[in-house]
């Protein structure tokens, strides 16, 4: 099977083309040694099969970012049968810059000229045959979005000759230097001598390492070939190739410019951005869509279903009159839900019926009490609790994909760079951080766009502080539990406050690291601001499907295994006897939890919570596997301990309330301290070691030897944050002690850095 | 008249004379089309005054003032 490599600039439609060519055959892995996405798929046409490898989007083949290195190494060492170079026709000049470099390699090349339709719409024309003649390789016009021209592209690519000798547009003044370098690589028997030679003239780090290469460069004397070569490429392109220019000299305002005028406005840019962010989270998580039900409880006016006479309250559980009302409750129950919540409710309605159906079936069949418990509470309860979060995670992902695909994400980086620089990061670090709100795994992978290693390390370390989708249930459940059990506060305010706390912790930690262990200059911020575009529906859906697959796989493997193990540990005593729910005090899990419980005393959810306080310690441990487990564990344990009678709500609030009541009664812990402890519990989980998947990703993305320090960093950070929240929450005056500590640490660091400078 | 790109005001345009700096900043500028001879226009500044956005070679590029200080431009 032939292998074709797809290569092109970021934002040129490469991913769209890859999806269109490979369809369902695509699979995503990692490049060896790094976790940059390695996407591979098979193009099928009749009996013909061609393997397609999608290389990361790059502007140049220089050695400064991991993406550029991967693309370069793959092409040079794996030698694909052909390179398919995607060129954005609306921005020929810059896209062809990469093309001129690719043409220097001894591999057949074909140009896929994407978005020709847009160029034609704006009235410009590109002369294909002229372009083909100038470049010396086939050029095919395609529309990746509409899927047109793909067959022609692949047919022509397939019928190309197997061999091609690299060509360069660099002529004239540097011929002599180039010949000398090419000779050197020929003597060394290198493949693609022309490519290497040109790179050597550019003072390329990698080429200079080759023995004998540095001497050649030295023999040229003091000439600036690097700038001359870049200039020669661009000059050649604008003189010979850029037949159509999509934009004039800035006199006319395109649609993109008009949008940009508003979104990056001097005054409105930041408020608009905050509004967008708020809208996204509101539409995903709010239970009061567009504040139709007023702002807060005092202004709420919508009647609940019970008040309408459509449902009745029984033992703290709502029983709906008929199935129609149950469906209605997905969308409305005393308040209109947001789309994210509606989807969650809908899925949970479905899962609830499966769960209760299975339990009834088993009871009717006369199954033993412990098997019903294992299947109902342990297996189904645990998995469904996790699956219940999927809709909101996906909605959140959808919004962020839209932001990314429209080009707004790059503008946000532009607007915020100034702020991020204060912390020693670039505006680009913002993107992985904000993605962290969805899931730490893709966010960590996304740090590849940061060229600076120290900036990357610092960013990766604080990504978990941006509370991910899986941590949200901890927030909503515990916050909901606090409000329901103590009748104080507002769950939304607590949730929002915790997000802010996470961000604040991230800022403090980045500042700390950039001034101590990860000192260095602020990395450069030279970035394209892509034209605004409507995102492609198909691409968005493919992206979401990838996420869904990943999540469900996780739910049914790691999380499934751990919920079963936890159920077993909590229902078995040390001598392997089955314990009923009421006897959980004697289980293996309880004794493990009790052992660790004192460790959490400074954070408020340790020894002071008395005989049942160990559930918090256990939840922290299970959360190390996957954060979804924290609430799943609570649900399982709460049902047992508080002998909670209902079938269980998916968000875990009811179970938590039961648990809080039991603990309050048994330990007599003062209300304020208990609330502070619960909030400290959220804070601890938000900032501590993330889930297995995130840890594995961080380990492979970080430089060697950095991971163990990162683990330690997470532990210390979460312990300090948790302790601060608990003490300040319980005794407000301790805030001064913490402030004094912060001042003391800052002074020491500043003084030390000054001393070093001297 | 020549001056550094970092001293440009919004709407000013010019032709690049020389690109200073070294290592990856310079390489990146060159790769992105900020090469001697290219013409550019300063489109806007970010809300906080930095970074700036320029149009060069038919597309929008953003760079910081500190990076713009590496680019010498002849004002047109």
């Amino acid at each position: 099977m032939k292998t074709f490599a797809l290569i092109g600039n970021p934002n040129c439609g490469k991913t769209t083309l890859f999806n269109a060519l490979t369809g369902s055959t695509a699979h995503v892995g990692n490049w060896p040694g790094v976790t940059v996405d390695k996407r591979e798929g098979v193009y099928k046409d009749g009996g013909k099969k061609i393997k397609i490898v999608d290389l990361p989007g790059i502007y140049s083949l220089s050695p400064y970012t991991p993406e550029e290195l991967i693309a370069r190494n793959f092409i040079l060492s794996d030698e694909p049968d052909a390179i398919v170079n995607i060129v954005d026709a609306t921005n020929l000049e810059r896209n062809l810059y990469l093309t001129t470099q690719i043409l220097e390699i001894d591999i057949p090349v074909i140009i896929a000229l994407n978005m020709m339709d847009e160029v034609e719409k704006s009235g410009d024309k590109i002369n294909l045959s002229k372009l083909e003649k100038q470049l010396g390789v086939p050029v095919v016009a395609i529309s990746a979005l509409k899927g047109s021209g793909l067959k022609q592209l692949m047919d022509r690519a397939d019928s190309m000759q197997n061999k091609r000798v690299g060509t360069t547009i660099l002529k004239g003044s540097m011929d002599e230097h180039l010949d000398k370098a090419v000779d050197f690589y020929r003597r060394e028997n290198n493949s693609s001598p022309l490519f290497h030679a040109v790179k050597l003239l550019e003072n390329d780090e990698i080429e200079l390492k080759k023995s004998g290469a540095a001497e050649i460069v030295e023999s040229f004397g003091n000439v600036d070939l690097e700038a001359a070569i870049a200039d020669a490429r661009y000059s050649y392109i604008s003189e010979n190739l850029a037949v159509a220019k999509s934009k004039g000299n800035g006199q006319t305002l395109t649609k993109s410019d008009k949008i940009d005028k508003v979104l990056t406005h001097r005054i409105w840019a930041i408020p608009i951005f905050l509004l967008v962010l708020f809208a996204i989270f509101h539409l995903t998580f709010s239970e009061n869509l567009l504040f139709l039900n007023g702002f807060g409880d005092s202004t709420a006016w919508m009647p609940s279903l019970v008040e309408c006479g459509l449902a009745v309250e029984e033992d703290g559980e709502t029983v709906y009159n008929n199935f129609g009302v149950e469906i209605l409750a997905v969308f409305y129950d005393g308040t209109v839900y947001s789309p994210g919540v509606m989807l969650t409710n809908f899925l949970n309605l479905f899962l609830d019926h499966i769960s209760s159906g299975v339990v009834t079936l088993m009871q009717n069949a006369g199954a033993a009490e412990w098997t019903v418990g294992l299947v109902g509470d342990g297996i189904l309860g645990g998995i469904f609790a996790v699956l219940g979060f999927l809709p909101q995670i996906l909605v959140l992902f959808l919004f962020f994909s839209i932001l990314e695909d429209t080009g707004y994400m790059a503008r946000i980086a532009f607007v915020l760079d100034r702020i991020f620089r204060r912390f020693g990061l670039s505006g680009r670090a913002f993107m992985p951080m904000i993605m962290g709100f969805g899931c730490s795994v893709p966010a960590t992978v996304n740090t590849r766009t940061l060229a600076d290693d120290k900036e990357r390390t610092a960013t990766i370390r604080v990504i978990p502080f941006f509370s991910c989708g899986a941590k949200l249930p901890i927030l909503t459940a515990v916050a909901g539990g606090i409000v329901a059990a103590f009748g104080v506060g507002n769950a939304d305010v607590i949730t929002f406050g915790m997000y802010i706390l996470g961000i604040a912790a991230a800022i403090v930690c980045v500042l700390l690291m950039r001034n101590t262990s990860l000192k260095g200059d602020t990395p450069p911020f030279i970035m394209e601001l892509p034209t605004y575009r409507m995102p492609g529906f198909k691409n968005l859906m493919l992206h979401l499907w990838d996420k869904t697959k990943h999540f469900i796989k996780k739910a049914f493997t790691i999380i499934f295994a751990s919920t079963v193990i936890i159920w077993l540990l909590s229902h078995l005593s040390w001598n392997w006897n089955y314990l009923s729910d009421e006897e959980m005090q004697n289980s293996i899990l309880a004794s493990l939890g009790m052992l660790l419980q004192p460790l959490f005393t400074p954070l408020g959810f340790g020894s002071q919570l008395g005989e049942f306080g160990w559930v918090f310690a256990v939840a922290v441990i299970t959360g190390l596997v996957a954060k979804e487990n924290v609430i799943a564990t609570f649900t399982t344990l709460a049902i047992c301990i508080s002998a909670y009678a209902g079938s269980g709500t998916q968000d875990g609030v009811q179970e938590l309330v039961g648990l809080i009541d039991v603990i309050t009664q048994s330990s007599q812990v003062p209300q304020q301290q208990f609330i502070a402890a619960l909030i400290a519990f959220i804070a601890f989980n938000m900032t501590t070691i993330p889930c297995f998947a995130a840890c594995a990703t961080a380990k492979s993305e970080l430089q060697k030897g950095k991971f163990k320090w990162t683990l330690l960093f997470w532990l210390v950070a979460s312990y300090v944050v948790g302790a601060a929240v608990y003490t300040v929450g319980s005794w407000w005056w301790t805030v001064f002690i913490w402030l004094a500590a912060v001042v003391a640490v800052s002074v020491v660091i500043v003084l030390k850095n000054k001393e070093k400078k001297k | 008249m020549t001056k550094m790109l970092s001293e440009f005001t919004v709407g000013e345009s010019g032709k690049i004379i020389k690109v200073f700096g070294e290592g990856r900043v310079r390489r990146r500028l060159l790769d992105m089309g900020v090469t001697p001879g290219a013409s550019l226009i300063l489109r806007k500044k970010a809300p906080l005054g930095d970074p700036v956005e320029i149009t060069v070679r038919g597309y929008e590029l953003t760079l910081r003032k500190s990076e713009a200080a590496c680019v010498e431009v002849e004002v047109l």
Side-chain angles (χ1 to χ4, degrees), chain A residues 626-664:
Chain A
K627 295 295 162 201
E628 294 91 333
N629 281 347
V630 173
I631 293 306
T633 306
F634 271 145
T635 315
T636 316
L637 294 179
I639 291 173
C640 305
I641 290 178
S642 61
Y644 173 69
S647 67
T649 50
Q650 294 297 343
D651 59 9
V653 171
Q654 307 275 6
E655 289 85 348
L656 208 70
V657 171
L659 196 63
I660 290 172
D661 287 343
V662 171
I663 291 176
T664 311

Side-chain angles (χ1 to χ4, degrees), chain A residues 271-390:
Chain A
I272 287 176
F273 161 64
L274 291 176
L275 204 67
V276 168
L277 211 57
F278 177 78
I280 288 177
F281 282 92
H282 182 79
L283 289 175
T284 313
F285 301 119
S286 173
E287 297 201 341
N288 183 7
L289 184 68
L290 304 175
F291 300 104
L292 288 172
N293 198 22
F295 298 86
D297 287 341
S298 54
T299 51
W301 58 275
M302 292 183 174
S304 73
L305 291 177
V306 175
E307 283 162 348
C308 290
L310 292 169
V312 280
E313 199 91 33
E314 269 174 28
D315 301 333
E317 248 220 285
T318 314
V319 180
Y320 303 102
N321 286 4
N322 53 50
F323 191 63
V325 179
E326 216 173 327
I327 297 282
L328 177 65
V330 166
F331 304 96
Y332 173 91
D333 189 359
T335 164
V336 182
Y337 297 129
S338 64
V341 176
M342 286 179 193
L343 286 173
T344 309
N345 288 345
F346 186 72
L347 184 67
N348 286 338
L349 173 75
F350 180 67
L351 297 178
D352 276 348
H353 279 279
I354 295 182
S355 180
S356 56
V358 169
V359 169
T360 318
L361 211 68
M362 287 180 74
Q363 279 165 343
N364 289 348
E369 187 202 348
W370 71 271
T371 49
V372 177
L374 175 64
V375 173
D377 296 339
I379 299 177
L380 292 180
I383 290 187
F384 287 176
V386 174
L387 280 185
F389 311 138
L390 184 63

